[in-house]
Each structure stands twice: as structure tokens, then as C-alpha cells.
Amino acid sequence: MSSVLDLNGLTGEQLDSVLTSFIEQNSERREFSDLKDCEKKSIWKGLFETIERNISDAVNEKCLISCRLLSRDRKGLNEAVEDAYIDLLMKTSGLRNVSDSPPRADRVKLESKQVLSNLIHQSSTVLAYCTKNLLLSDILGAIGAHKDVGEVEKLDLKLLFLLTALCPELRLEANSNLRALSVLNKALKRSIKGACDIDLAIYQKHLLQALFNLTLHTEQETPDLVEIAKTMKNVVEQNFENEKVKSIVIGNIINYLANMDGCEESMKALFLHDDMKNVQNILDFLLHRLQTLAEVEKVQLKEEIAPSLSVLWIMSKMIRDVRKYLKKTILPPLTKEDIQVKPEEGTSARNRIVALLTNPDQEISSMAAEFLFVLCKQRVDKLVKHSGYGNAAGLLARKGLLAGGSSDANVSSDEDSDTEEYKQESERINPITGRIEPERKNPMEGMSEEQKEYEAMKMVNVIDKLMRAGVIKPATIGEDGKPQAVEHVLQLQEGINLENPSSTNAED
């Protein structure tokens, strides 16, 4: 099957027929390896010459669909697509209004923007040209005039996201010279209609993704960021059509908020001290993701929960009322039932988050540990009580707190108390596992001292062999509170009388 498309000398009906046939034959193709580069260049030229003739909306639309199919194949695009084609696409898409330019149908605008999006993504020369042809300004102008949330408007936001993702230098221009944050905030305000269906949720998703790009590596708070936070409070409080719609919007708000570390005013504008509803929304989002993870094996863990953990941690360390609320919700005073099972076993918020402390993904385990540590006012004894020393050991090793103590960080203080039933049973808790262990027979019961010594030396020899083979690398706790590898197994005897790190005071 030949992919060559020759439009020279064809009339309106002939053009319609030839273009329809080309689209039907190639709609599923991802590459056009049967075409030489010179043939591709000729086809692109013919299509754009036909578009410029503006024979009819139907012909223009089919030319643009053909361009979209061809733009899937990256090979040869740099040579085939000329700057003039991009200028024409900006006109047919409605992004650039020219006095002598005829009005375009929405379907022509839509296809023009799709072609433009593909070319920016696929062609480095097109991308380079679009950084200097004022396309960014035109896109923001179009977004500023949005009155609907249809496909054409969503493509404006996609184009902004694409440009600012592929050209980080455009973020500075957008924020400094084009007031992009203000433009997007106004568009977000206009989109709030009280009720949110799937179409509106997807529009807001694209808008929030563009805001995410524009606030990456934010170094200082600005009035625009505070205003955006106030708008987001209203976005979160929309009446969502269903949980899927709510998840789309909340998930993208969380991604944006992950950029707001250090922006205390913005956070406080969204999370008011006397209203924890929005805090609960983010916690519910995380817990729902963790529940899904427990039920479905193939889930991208980092992408699914890292932003939520990050935002909860940022909020907790910044805002005292948020930390107190999350502490009360996630780590309430332990009951007799709680200490019968390991902290990581179960379906409570505490169980699910503690289970992340030993996740093989270090970024996830570190995030979860830092979050819980902030909730515990950075007190080792409190963290160990709620998670078990074994689960907390990774964070304590990184911070040099394996021997106990607390961080130097200044975290607000509040008070709570252990339950009476916890106090009565606390002496029986194994600090390593964080639970009361079931009664077991002492394996050395009935042995003589000589037998015990013999068994101990057998264990020493086994450990020594494993050390020499490199299977294990035992360590003791150094003066800096961090693990220090030992050279000989007998060094493990040093420090065995260290104070129990799980001794606790009154609960936070």
C-alpha cells in the first residue's frame, strides 16, 4: 500500500475523496517508513498549500487530520515542516487572530491544535521555533478568554503544559513577563460552577498540570500563589459527580501542592486552622490509594502515593493545627487491641502508613518515616511506640538517633495521654516489633550453663561465617547514633546494655 498523497490540481470533491481514502488507509499507522524524506516533504507542502486555499471547513479538517497522522512519525519531520506551516496552524487554530483571517470552525481549530501539539512534541526544530514566535503569549491569551471547558479549550492547556515541560526556560518568561499564574488562576475561578462533572474535572486537571509546571522549584512565596491557594479551596469544595471525578481533581491539586514546601501563607489559605475538611480530603486520597495498592498488584506506587505523603508532611511541619489533627487521626492513643498486632498489620491509617516504612522503594519509605516523625514531634520514643523500633530503624539510622533522643527541630508542642489499658500492658510490649508477643516456651529452658554456652558459641560461629562470606554485615551503634560496621563478631558484645530506646513519656 502506497502512502504517497498527491493533491496537485484537485478540485473540492476530488480533494475530499483522496483525503478520505488516505485517512482510512493510515488511521492506525504510527510510522511511514515506505515514504522517502523528499516524498514526506512534498506531502506536507501539498497539505498546507491546500489548507491555505481554504476551500472548505471539511477539506481543511481532513488535511489537518492527515497532518496529524503524518506527525506521529518523528523521522523526517525536522526537514519536512517549515516555519510558515506553524504560523498557518496558529491562525487556523484561532490562537493568533489576524484581521484578514476568516473565522474557523471548532473542528478545524481542534485539529489544528492537535497537529501543533504533535509537532512540538515530535520535532526539535518546531519546538525551537515555537519558543520565539510568541506562541506562549498567544496560548495564554486564549486561556484568558476561555468561556467553556470543551476540547478546544483543553488543548490550549495541553499546549501550555507541553511547552513549559519541554522548555523550562519558558516558565520564567511565562511567570515574569506574561503573568501566567494570574491568567491560570482566573481561568480556574471561572471554571468553578458548584457541580463538577467529568468534562470539567478533566479541564481542571489540565489547568492544574500547567500550574504544576509553572511552580516547579518555587523558591519564594508570591501573592499569586496565595490567590491560587484561595481558589483551590473552592475547587476542593465543589460538588463532585462521583468519586472518580473527585479523585482526578484532588490528585492534581496534591501534585501542585507538592511544589509549595516553604509557602506557608499559601498553605494556610487552603487549610484553615478551624476547618480540617481539606486536610481530610488529602488523607482520604492517600488511604484510598493505599487500599487500592493492597488489592491490586500492578500499581505504580511512587506515582500513586509519593505526592500525597509529601503534601501531608509539608502541611504537618508548617501548620500546628494540621499536625495536631493528623496526629489525632493517624496516631491516636494506643488501645489494648492495637498492641496485640504488629503496627504494620491491619487496615487503619496507622497500619497502612507504618507498613510503608519498610517499602523497598527508599523514597517512599523515607517519606513515610519523615511524615510520622513530624507527627510524633520528632521524638524517637513516640515514633518507636507507634511503629516499632524495627520499622523505624531506617529513619533513626539516617538521623543518628538509633540510641534514642530527639531531633533538634523546633516543632510545636501539645499534650495527650496514653489510655489506661495501654499503660497497664506497656511493659509487655516488644519494642522491636511494637506489639505484645504471644507466650512462647523458652528454648533454653532445662539447659545447663555448659549447654547454653555451647549453643551461644555455635551461633557466634554461624554469624562469623556469614560475615566472612559477605552475606550479612553486623553493626553496632556509634557515638554519633548511626550504625558502624564491626570487623569481628565479638564486637557485637559492646553496647548490649544500651538503654531501651522504646521508653516513653506521656503520649502527644
Side-chain angles (χ1 to χ4, degrees):
M1 177 182 65
S2 173
S3 304
V4 176
L5 180 64
D6 186 0
L7 304 180
N8 286 332
L10 299 182
T11 62
E13 289 185 3
Q14 293 170 326
L15 281 168
D16 189 276
S17 175
V18 170
L19 289 166
T20 300
S21 177
F22 179 83
I23 292 167
E24 289 175 351
Q25 291 176 15
N26 298 287
S27 60
E28 302 300 321
R29 295 185 68 176
R30 310 303 301 181
E31 59 179 32
F32 292 81
S33 54
D34 57 317
L35 291 175
K36 298 176 183 177
D37 286 352
C38 61
E39 291 174 323
K40 291 180 182 178
K41 190 169 184 176
S42 176
I43 293 173
W44 278 98
K45 182 179 179 182
L47 288 167
F48 274 94
E49 286 178 347
T50 305
I51 294 169
E52 197 157 25
R53 288 163 60 192
N54 195 26
I55 296 170
S56 68
D57 286 335
V59 169
N60 286 344
E61 182 186 11
K62 290 180 180 179
C63 282
L64 290 163
I65 292 172
S66 301
C67 289
R68 175 163 54 83
L69 298 179
L70 288 167
S71 67
R72 293 172 178 173
D73 188 352
R74 188 187 298 263
K75 188 176 181 299
L77 275 184
N78 285 344
E79 295 75 26
V81 179
E82 300 177 6
D83 294 349
Y85 303 167
I86 305 305
D87 293 336
L88 182 56
L89 284 172
M90 290 169 67
K91 293 176 185 176
T92 56
S93 65
L95 288 171
R96 178 159 297 171
N97 293 318
V98 182
S99 57
D100 61 347
S101 180
R104 306 286 179 171
D106 280 351
R107 63 183 188 273
V108 172
K109 293 179 180 178
L110 181 68
E111 286 297 338
S112 297
K113 290 177 181 179
Q114 287 179 329
V115 174
L116 195 54
S117 175
N118 279 10
L119 290 175
I120 289 171
H121 187 266
Q122 296 282 70
S123 168
S124 57
T125 57
V126 171
L127 178 61
Y129 180 66
C130 288
T131 62
K132 58 187 180 183
N133 70 346
L134 303 180
L135 175 60
L136 182 62
S137 176
D138 290 335
I139 292 171
L140 286 167
I143 294 171
H146 280 183
K147 295 179 181 178
D148 197 3
V149 294
E151 293 304 314
V152 173
E153 288 76 17
K154 289 169 190 169
L155 272 167
D156 292 333
L157 297 167
K158 287 182 182 179
L159 283 167
L160 178 60
F161 175 82
L162 195 58
L163 275 178
T164 52
L166 297 176
C167 297
E169 66 273 14
L170 289 181
R171 297 171 197 160
L172 180 60
E173 182 185 345
N175 290 333
S176 301
N177 302 329
L178 301 174
R179 298 294 311 278
L181 293 179
S182 177
V183 170
L184 291 177
N185 185 41
K186 289 175 182 176
L188 187 59
K189 276 183 181 178
R190 289 195 302 272
S191 74
I192 300 171
K193 306 180 187 303
C196 183
D197 59 15
I198 188 66
D199 282 338
L200 178 54
I202 292 173
Y203 176 86
Q204 290 179 346
K205 176 189 81 169
H206 291 310
L207 205 157
L208 290 164
Q209 287 174 340
L211 280 171
F212 172 84
N213 268 6
L214 292 170
T215 54
L216 273 173
H217 313 301
T218 296
E219 295 180 356
Q220 63 182 24
E221 196 157 45
T222 65
D224 280 335
L225 295 179
V226 177
E227 289 304 312
I228 290 169
K230 291 177 181 177
T231 303
M232 283 192 180
K233 183 177 184 300
N234 295 326
V235 173
V236 175
E237 293 172 354
Q238 294 175 110
N239 294 318
F240 296 101
E241 187 176 60
N242 52 48
E243 283 303 313
K244 179 183 177 182
V245 168
K246 183 177 181 179
S247 178
I248 290 171
V249 176
I250 300 295
N252 281 279
I253 287 177
I254 288 171
N255 290 339
Y256 167 82
L257 291 175
N259 291 340
M260 294 295 106
D261 192 6
C263 298
E264 188 169 345
E265 246 190 283
S266 298
M267 284 297 195
K268 286 182 176 179
L270 180 56
F271 305 106
L272 303 179
H273 72 279
D274 58 347
D275 183 2
M276 293 292 116
K277 185 165 59 176
N278 291 340
V279 177
Q280 187 63 47
N281 276 327
I282 293 177
L283 179 59
D284 288 344
F285 184 89
L286 171 64
L287 296 177
H288 178 72
R289 287 290 186 268
L290 291 174
Q291 181 180 345
T292 302
L293 173 66
E295 297 170 356
V296 181
E297 290 184 7
K298 294 183 179 179
V299 175
Q300 297 294 322
L301 180 63
K302 188 178 294 187
E303 290 82 352
E304 289 286 337
I305 69 170
S308 308
L309 279 173
S310 177
V311 170
L312 290 169
W313 170 70
I314 290 169
M315 291 190 303
S316 298
K317 68 176 183 170
M318 273 189 194
I319 308 172
R320 180 176 182 267
D321 290 318
V322 171
R323 189 194 69 77
K324 289 176 66 176
Y325 175 79
L326 289 172
K327 167 66 174 61
K328 180 181 178 182
T329 305
I330 298 171
L331 301 177
L334 296 173
T335 65
K336 184 177 181 179
E337 289 73 25
D338 291 328
I339 55 179
Q340 300 301 318
V341 295
K342 293 179 180 179
E344 67 270 25
E345 294 177 350
T347 58
S348 71
R350 167 179 169 255
N351 300 145
R352 293 196 187 280
I353 296 174
V354 168
L356 297 175
L357 299 183
T358 52
N359 190 275
D361 187 316
Q362 190 171 352
E363 186 176 337
I364 292 296
S365 60
S366 297
M367 262 189 218
E370 292 287 353
F371 173 46
L372 292 177
F373 200 41
V374 167
L375 294 189
C376 294
K377 295 196 295 185
Q378 305 197 3
R379 290 278 301 277
V380 172
D381 54 352
K382 295 182 185 298
L383 178 64
V384 168
K385 179 170 75 174
H386 284 287
S387 68
Y389 189 80
N391 289 323
L395 175 128
L396 301 181
R398 288 192 300 275
K399 291 183 175 291
L401 296 171
L402 282 170
S406 63
S407 169
D408 293 330
N410 181 22
V411 179
S412 59
S413 175
D414 48 66
E415 293 187 1
D416 201 312
S417 299
D418 293 325
T419 60
E420 285 301 321
E421 55 187 4
Y422 173 81
K423 291 177 181 178
Q424 292 172 8
E425 301 287 347
S426 61
E427 294 300 321
R428 297 174 56 206
I429 297 173
N430 181 335
I432 303 299
T433 61
R435 70 165 180 177
I436 296 175
E437 299 293 337
E439 296 289 340
R440 289 182 293 186
K441 184 179 178 182
N442 185 347
M444 292 190 174
E445 187 177 338
M447 287 188 183
S448 66
E449 292 301 316
E450 290 79 7
Q451 286 175 310
K452 291 178 183 178
E453 186 174 342
Y454 173 74
E455 292 297 331
M457 289 309 300
K458 275 177 63 178
M459 184 170 66
V460 168
N461 289 332
V462 170
I463 293 174
D464 187 55
K465 285 181 181 178
L466 292 172
M467 285 177 64
R468 293 177 184 277
V471 177
I472 61 173
K473 194 175 182 180
T476 57
I477 301 174
E479 293 181 1
D480 60 356
K482 295 182 179 181
Q484 292 184 350
V486 300
E487 297 179 3
H488 192 277
V489 67
L490 293 179
Q491 288 178 262
L492 293 173
Q493 295 180 89
E494 300 175 10
I496 59 175
N497 294 319
L498 282 173
E499 184 181 346
N500 187 339
S502 69
S503 58
T504 60
N505 297 322
E507 167 64 355
D508 174 30

